[in-house]
């Protein structure tokens, strides 16, 4: 489950960025204000989903040092992206040309944010593989231990059978 969270984060961010581009495109095409408001609300919702996902991720799992450092970088990149997209949103109604120029900065922030998210996905995938390898090794050790205990139990049972057989044979007079 832990490795799925960064993928969800990436999906939410891509949805948000698509909504931002849609908003600018509709603004350029002079689309109905209601449609633009819907796109802006969708963008803000997707960013909030990403922020909530990061908080949930941090609260749900004990993070190692590598994960913690990467998560901090993602949070910083998201804050910067949010700041720059805020400038795009505030300018898009006033001056479309300025909004587009701010969008270039937001696009660069988005690319950096997605790079960090992809690194988190790769890290989580590596950690899952390491945990799987450790579980397989542990299962092998457990199997060997179980076989050893079974063989020892059978040996004890065989010894008890031999001793009981001798005791019965000597009691019967054999």
């Amino acid at each position: 489950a832990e490795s799925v969270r960064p993928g969800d984060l990436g999906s939410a961010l891509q949805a948000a960025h698509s909504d931002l581009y849609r908003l600018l495109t509709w603004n350029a095409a002079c689309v109905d204000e209601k449609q633009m408001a819907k796109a802006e609300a969708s963008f803000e919702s997707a960013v909030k989903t990403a922020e909530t996902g990061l908080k949930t991720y941090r609260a749900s799992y004990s993070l190692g040092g590598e994960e913690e450092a990467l998560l901090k970088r993602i949070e910083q990149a998201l804050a910067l992206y949010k700041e720059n997209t805020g400038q795009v949103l505030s300018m898009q109604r006033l001056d479309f040309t300025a909004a587009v120029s701010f969008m270039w900065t937001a696009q660069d922030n988005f690319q950096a944010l997605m790079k960090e998210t992809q690194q988190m996905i790769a890290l989580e995938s590596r950690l899952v593989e390491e945990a799987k390898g450790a579980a397989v090794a542990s299962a092998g050790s457990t199997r060997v231990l179980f076989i050893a205990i079974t063989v020892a139990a059978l040996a004890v049972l065989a010894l008890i059978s031999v001793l009981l057989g001798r005791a019965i044979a000597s009691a019967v007079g054999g």
Side-chain angles (χ1 to χ4, degrees), residues 55-164:
K55 289 176 186 170
T56 301
Y57 184 80
R58 182 178 290 288
S60 298
Y61 304 105
S62 60
L63 303 175
E66 201 174 354
E67 290 171 297
E68 181 66 36
L70 195 48
L71 191 58
K72 280 183 182 177
R73 289 197 318 258
I74 289 173
E75 289 169 337
Q76 290 169 347
L78 180 58
L80 187 59
Y81 176 71
K82 193 174 173 184
E83 177 185 325
N84 287 317
T85 56
Q87 292 171 345
V88 172
L89 291 174
S90 67
M91 289 304 294
Q92 61 98 15
R93 284 193 173 83
L94 302 174
D95 182 3
F96 179 74
T97 306
V100 170
S101 68
F102 282 123
M103 189 62 190
W104 289 112
T105 305
Q107 176 66 29
D108 291 342
N109 295 136
F110 174 74
Q111 293 299 328
L113 183 56
M114 290 309 296
K115 181 181 175 191
E116 297 291 350
T117 303
Q118 292 301 319
Q119 287 178 354
M120 181 62 97
I121 291 170
L123 172 63
E124 292 302 334
S125 295
R126 181 177 54 89
L127 293 175
V128 164
E129 288 301 316
E130 288 174 3
K132 189 169 80 173
V136 167
S138 176
S141 300
T142 303
R143 187 175 340 131
V144 168
L145 182 61
F146 178 74
I147 291 170
I149 290 172
T150 302
V151 169
L154 288 173
V156 168
L157 288 174
L159 180 64
I160 291 172
S161 296
V162 169
L163 293 176
L164 281 176

Side-chain angles (χ1 to χ4, degrees), residues 31-62:
V31 171
D32 179 34
E33 185 66 33
K34 290 178 187 174
Q35 285 295 102
M36 290 176 49
K38 266 173 85 174
E40 187 171 342
S42 180
F43 166 78
E44 290 171 356
S45 174
V47 170
K48 190 167 283 299
T49 297
E51 289 175 322
T52 302
L54 283 174
K55 289 176 186 170
T56 301
Y57 184 80
R58 182 178 290 288
S60 298
Y61 304 105
S62 60

